[in-house]
Structures are given as structure tokens and as C-alpha cells.
């Protein structure tokens, strides 16, 4: 079986600094796993939609996976703490390496990252307008998902959604 990896980035330019200057601030940080992101993701999957020029038929809903959630949270925290938006972590690991580190033995995965969204619904709505993000959400090969956000000192939220299919 072939492994397909779809990765996309939604970049918003801002004049804010992402570096943390106060460890005491980070102790009060706002970060969370966002299981309720599955509702808008699965709503999109079960309706079918066009991503770019490709129509995706309705797909089965994805289910929450704690390992994908933890990998998402770790990456969101890294982006918020270090002030960047990328699929590569500050340690230069890519999503596949982070998933393996989290104990998720993947057959395939897709990762969406973004910043500035206030709610899970806002994040999914924006990702569905982006061809590559939309393709990740609609990919019928993916069976599981995990998501998280972390907020930096400027109250900017960094989001990560990982969709995957584990090896059997």
C-alpha cells in the first residue's frame, strides 16, 4: 500500500513577537487538546466537498486518538513557545518523526497547522478554504485524528491538527 502525505500551512502575518520572555507567563499559559474539533471535521467529511479542483466523496468520520492529540499539543506548544509556524519543529523533526516519538505507528498521516483562530470551528472553516488543508481533512484513508492549540504571550493561538491511519 502506498503512503500519501499531505501537508499544508496556513500562514498569517502579524507584527507580534513569538519568543517568550517570562517563564512565569508560560506557567499561566492557555493550551489544550481540542477533541471537539472532530465535530466540524467530521461534518465536512460526511458531506463531501471540492478541494481545489478535486471532488472528495463523503468519507467516514475520524475518531479521536490520544497519541495524535499529544503529538499535536507538543507541536503547538513548540510553535507558541518559539514563535514560528511550520511543520518542522524547533528540533527539526517532521510530523512523521513526532508521531513515532509519541508512539503512533503510522501508515499515513496529514498535518494542518495554523495560527490566530479563536475556535476549533474557525480553524476548520479556514482549513477547508485551503486546497491542501481541505485534502487532508477529506482524505478517506485517514481514520483517526488529534488536535491541540497553544497560546503565546501575545495571546496568539497556534493550532495543530493531525489526521492519520495506524499500521495494522
Amino acid at each position: 500500500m502506498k503512503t500519501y502525505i499531505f501537508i499544508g500551512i496556513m500562514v498569517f502575518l502579524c507584527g507580534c513577537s513569538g519568543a517568550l520572555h517570562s517563564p512565569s507567563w508560560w506557567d499561566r499559559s492557555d493550551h489544550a487538546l481540542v477533541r471537539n474539533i472532530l465535530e466540524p471535521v467530521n461534518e465536512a467529511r460526511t458531506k463531501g466537498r471540492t478541494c481545489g479542483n478535486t471532488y472528495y466523496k463523503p468519507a467516514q468520520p475520524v475518531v479521536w486518538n490520544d497519541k495524535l492529540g499529544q503529538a499535536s499539543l507538543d507541536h503547538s506548544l513548540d510553535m507558541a513557545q518559539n514563535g514560528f509556524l511550520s511543520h518542522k519543529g524547533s528540533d527539526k523533526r517532521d510530523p512523521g518523526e513526532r508521531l513515532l516519538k509519541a508512539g503512533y505507528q503510522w501508515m499515513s498521516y496529514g498535518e494542518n497547522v495554523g495560527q490566530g483562530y479563536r475556535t476549533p470551528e474557525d480553524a476548520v472553516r479556514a482549513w477547508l478554504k485551503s486546497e491542501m488543508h481541505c485534502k487532508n481533512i477529506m482524505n478517506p484513508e485517514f481514520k483517526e485524528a488529534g488536535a491541540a492549540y497553544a497560546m503565546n504571550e501575545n495571546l496568539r493561538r497556534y493550532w495543530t491538527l493531525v489526521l492519520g491511519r495506524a499500521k495494522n
Side-chain angles (χ1 to χ4, degrees), residues 13-71:
L13 299 176
C14 69
C16 57
S17 165
L20 296 176
H21 303 291
S22 169
S24 63
W25 175 86
W26 194 250
D27 293 341
R28 298 186 319 270
S29 68
D30 182 9
H31 59 273
L33 293 172
V34 283
R35 292 176 187 256
N36 59 337
I37 203 166
L38 292 186
E39 186 176 324
V41 165
N42 285 330
E43 182 180 336
R45 287 175 65 88
T46 58
K47 289 182 179 177
R49 72 176 47 245
T50 300
C51 302
N53 294 323
T54 305
Y55 176 75
Y56 284 81
K57 293 188 247 181
Q60 291 295 313
V62 291
V63 297
W64 182 265
N65 180 285
D66 285 332
K67 292 176 182 175
L68 295 178
Q70 188 60 53

Side-chain angles (χ1 to χ4, degrees), residues 73-150:
L73 180 58
D74 292 345
H75 190 55
S76 290
L77 286 167
D78 184 26
M79 291 188 297
Q81 286 175 324
N82 294 295
F84 69 94
L85 184 67
S86 176
H87 293 288
K88 288 265 186 198
S90 62
D91 62 0
K92 306 299 182 212
R93 288 189 179 165
D94 66 30
E97 293 168 313
R98 287 194 301 275
L99 294 178
L100 292 174
K101 181 182 176 195
Y104 189 79
Q105 299 297 315
W106 56 270
M107 178 179 289
S108 61
Y109 68 84
E111 178 180 80
N112 290 356
V113 297
Q115 65 177 331
Y117 312 124
R118 293 177 96 20
T119 67
E121 294 80 11
D122 291 343
V124 173
R125 193 172 17 259
W127 287 329
L128 288 171
K129 292 177 184 175
S130 161
E131 182 177 355
M132 289 308 297
H133 291 100
C134 181
K135 286 180 177 185
N136 279 345
I137 290 171
M138 296 306 298
N139 188 330
E141 186 173 336
F142 299 145
K143 307 299 181 198
E144 302 171 304
Y149 74 85

Side-chain angles (χ1 to χ4, degrees), residues 150-162:
M151 196 178 299
N152 72 1
E153 66 182 357
N154 295 313
L155 306 181
R156 191 91 164 141
R157 291 181 192 222
Y158 290 79
W159 294 82
T160 306
L161 168 67
V162 179

